[in-house]
Amino acid sequence: MRRLGPAVLLALTGAAILRVALFSDLYLRYVQAGLRPYLVVSGAVLVVLAAVAAVASRTDAGHTEAAEHPAPALGDGGTSPAPALGDVGTSFAPAPGDGGTSPAPALGDVGTSFAPAPGDGGTSPTPALGDGGTSHAPVPADGGTSHAHGPRVAWLLTLPALALLLFPPPALGSYSAEREAAERAARGVGTFPALPAGDPLDLPVGEFASRAVYDSERSLRGRTLRLTGFVTRDDDGTWYVTRLLISCCAADATTAKAEVRGAAAPPADTWVTVTGTWHPEGALGSDAAWPPVLDATGVRRTAQPANPYEKR
């Protein structure tokens, strides 16, 4: 069963990727929508590799079993093979100083060859090569096979893959947003494209923050705006409507947020839609202008969107 370990890991990982990318929109918690085809192909390849690994492991198991039960050797069943090393027999060679012959143990002879023992006037038996009296290395108590615990413990590696399949991780939230370094892309103050007509205007949080801090034409002034994001809070009670911006995947996420004034703070990580007007503070492009402020006229809770990130 342990031979199937790699195949099981590949199958679980591939199935998890296909679940979030092919059969649902959960992949949007981790990557941009444009990367969906690559995820589907990756998941399919992993499943195919798992099938190949499973077939290969069964083939290897068959070869191992055949090797453990070989066919009868030549010389069995009545034939008399040539003496092999370790055969029972005696070969005679002239003994030094002896007029006759002295039996000398053949290689593999069942018997004892004698060599002078140190400090002994007699002889001390020494096992001959292949001697039936040789001592053997201890045999494991389980019949000759010693099993390591490593392969069994390796099955624990299936638990993360199984968890990924059954319980996909949620999208990043306030924990990640609050611990991001206070860094913003360096850019100069300039103009932005004209905003669409009509109020209230639904605006991405990232675009609101950029226009509030860098737009020299102050295009947000006098407009009623509507921002959707999740709630983050400071220790002093200040709260923000926040979104995470990604270029490729959740690993490169950065934070965009707007301070909300004039409304009570919902619990952290609650998704809300805030309606209000921009409250200018500080000089354009300065630290005092960040984060931008929104004077709220209404706050309502909303469901997390299918794609919780904004594109950077």
Side-chain angles (χ1 to χ4, degrees):
M1 185 66 180
R2 64 187 177 185
R3 296 175 181 270
L4 295 177
V8 172
L9 284 174
L10 288 170
L12 288 176
T13 305
I17 294 174
L18 290 177
R19 181 199 170 189
V20 301
L22 183 61
F23 303 112
S24 72
D25 291 329
L26 293 175
Y27 74 99
L28 292 173
R29 297 179 179 180
Y30 321 116
V31 298
Q32 287 281 8
L35 296 179
R36 184 177 198 174
Y38 302 99
L39 288 177
V40 173
V41 171
S42 299
V45 168
L46 288 176
V47 172
V48 171
L49 288 176
V52 173
V55 172
S57 67
R58 292 178 65 87
T59 303
D60 291 343
H63 291 166
T64 302
E65 184 176 354
E68 291 175 352
H69 301 84
L74 293 176
D76 280 350
T79 60
S80 178
L85 292 178
D87 257 2
V88 179
T90 305
S91 64
F92 296 89
D98 193 352
T101 57
S102 173
L107 292 178
D109 195 345
V110 178
T112 308
S113 66
F114 297 90
D120 193 353
T123 57
S124 173
T126 302
L129 295 177
D131 196 331
T134 55
S135 61
H136 300 281
V139 178
D142 60 357
T145 304
S146 177
H147 297 286
H149 295 289
R152 297 178 183 175
V153 175
W155 278 99
L156 295 177
L157 294 174
T158 62
L159 295 181
L162 189 61
L164 181 64
L165 175 62
L166 300 178
F167 310 104
L172 301 179
S174 61
Y175 182 88
S176 300
E178 291 170 357
R179 282 153 183 77
E180 180 195 329
E183 296 178 357
R184 299 189 300 278
R187 56 175 296 178
V189 174
T191 60
F192 284 72
L195 290 171
D199 286 338
L201 174 63
D202 287 302
L203 203 61
V205 176
E207 184 176 354
F208 170 79
S210 294
R211 287 178 179 269
V213 176
Y214 300 110
D215 187 5
S216 60
E217 295 186 354
R218 304 281 181 149
S219 57
L220 298 177
R221 192 186 298 275
R223 302 295 301 269
T224 300
L225 307 169
R226 191 159 51 198
L227 310 180
T228 297
F230 58 89
V231 175
T232 56
R233 305 177 63 171
D234 285 343
D235 294 336
D236 60 4
T238 304
W239 71 281
Y240 310 88
V241 55
T242 306
R243 290 293 283 267
L244 292 172
L245 285 62
I246 65 174
S247 296
C248 169
C249 57
D252 63 22
T254 57
T255 303
K257 62 184 180 180
E259 180 183 342
V260 180
R261 296 180 183 174
D269 287 314
T270 303
W271 280 83
V272 295
T273 296
V274 181
T275 304
T277 56
W278 173 48
H279 184 109
E281 283 198 352
L284 287 178
S286 68
D287 290 340
W290 176 265
V293 178
L294 190 71
D295 290 328
T297 57
V299 176
R300 63 178 176 85
R301 298 194 181 194
T302 188
Q304 176 180 304
N307 185 356
Y309 305 115
E310 293 180 0
K311 187 170 183 179
R312 185 166 55 199

